[in-house]
Amino acid sequence: MLSLNNSLGIKLEADFFHHPEWQKVFSGVDDPLREIAGLGLKTVEFSLKPGFKEEDMRFLLDRCLKAGLGINLHPYTNDEHNPACFEDKEGNVARETGRRFLEIAHMAGRVQGKKTVLILHGASTVDIEDCSGTGEDKSFFLERSRCFFRWLEKYVLEKELEILIVSELQITPSPEEHFFRVGDSYTEVLETVKGTDLGLCWDTGHAYFAHLRKGISLIPP
């Protein structure tokens, strides 16, 4: 990935310190983050899940700042946490999950002294059997995605949070996969942030799969 200052970064799971597979990768390395910084990388993008806690973020921040690394955050959601289930209503789980990620990103930004980039996806119909709207066509979930991003921007402005929110180009499902992800083309990812001043994240790997599976251009228009 490229951060805003055109410096190279790396993507890691937020629990990589304790994850068995990542422990294999960093076997024999005393401080993985210092090793990453020593390679000339400047930023870590951490993958987050809905149960991620603020105290976990403080741990990662402390370790990254000591290594001279900045932090960006990329939440992943499913089931009722997914924007497919978003409604601007009190008690809505997807809205509450979005709010928590905003607050965590704001806290990270205040500690590191610059805006945290919060990379988010539009709705997906993977594992959303318990959400209202199941069985609707893609346009229904595109509108839910728009509502989700509009609400995020509104919340950030009202609370004066120091965050840069971007909607990322999603990976195109393979032909045998019977679900869809909103924002898996350049046109559609633009639609997810329609009516906002939010930005976009051009995931080049996702674009490559979209090129293979849908024939879209490798380079955005």
Side-chain angles (χ1 to χ4, degrees), residues 4 57 61 71-73 99-119 152-166 198:
L4 286 179
M57 186 75 263
L61 276 166
I71 283 180
N72 293 331
L73 303 177
R99 184 196 64 77
R100 287 192 62 253
F101 284 134
L102 290 175
E103 298 290 353
I104 288 172
H106 176 64
M107 183 270 288
R110 293 193 61 162
V111 173
Q112 65 180 337
K114 64 178 181 179
K115 285 187 178 182
T116 302
V117 182
L118 186 64
I119 303 115
L152 292 171
E153 182 181 54
K154 179 183 174 185
Y155 188 88
V156 165
L157 292 173
E158 287 178 350
K159 301 295 183 180
E160 299 182 338
L161 305 183
E162 291 294 311
I163 308 169
L164 178 61
I165 299 170
V166 295
L198 302 182

Side-chain angles (χ1 to χ4, degrees), residues 136-146 180 182 188:
E136 299 281 354
D137 63 22
K138 199 171 188 180
S139 62
F140 174 86
F141 295 100
L142 176 57
E143 181 55 29
R144 286 216 161 171
S145 299
R146 289 193 197 101
F180 55 75
V182 169
E188 201 168 81

Side-chain angles (χ1 to χ4, degrees), residues 14-112:
D15 63 349
F16 82 98
F17 275 108
H18 315 291
H19 196 288
E21 294 303 316
W22 280 109
Q23 286 180 338
K24 292 178 186 177
V25 172
F26 292 116
S27 176
V29 177
D30 291 333
D31 189 335
L33 293 174
R34 287 195 181 276
E35 191 76 11
I36 288 167
L39 295 172
L41 304 179
K42 300 296 183 184
T43 307
V44 181
E45 178 188 305
F46 284 110
S47 303
L48 306 183
K49 295 182 175 66
F52 191 76
K53 298 179 177 61
E54 185 174 314
E55 53 265 35
D56 299 326
M57 186 75 263
R58 292 188 179 278
F59 170 79
L60 291 175
L61 276 166
D62 180 63
R63 298 295 295 267
C64 282
L65 290 175
K66 285 179 179 177
L69 293 166
I71 283 180
N72 293 331
L73 303 177
H74 190 350
Y76 287 86
T77 57
N78 56 15
D79 301 316
E80 59 186 347
H81 301 277
N82 192 281
C85 302
F86 174 83
E87 293 183 82
D88 189 5
K89 294 180 180 178
E90 194 71 31
N92 178 264
V93 175
R95 192 180 80 159
E96 176 60 18
T97 299
R99 184 196 64 77
R100 287 192 62 253
F101 284 134
L102 290 175
E103 298 290 353
I104 288 172
H106 176 64
M107 183 270 288
R110 293 193 61 162
V111 173
Q112 65 180 337

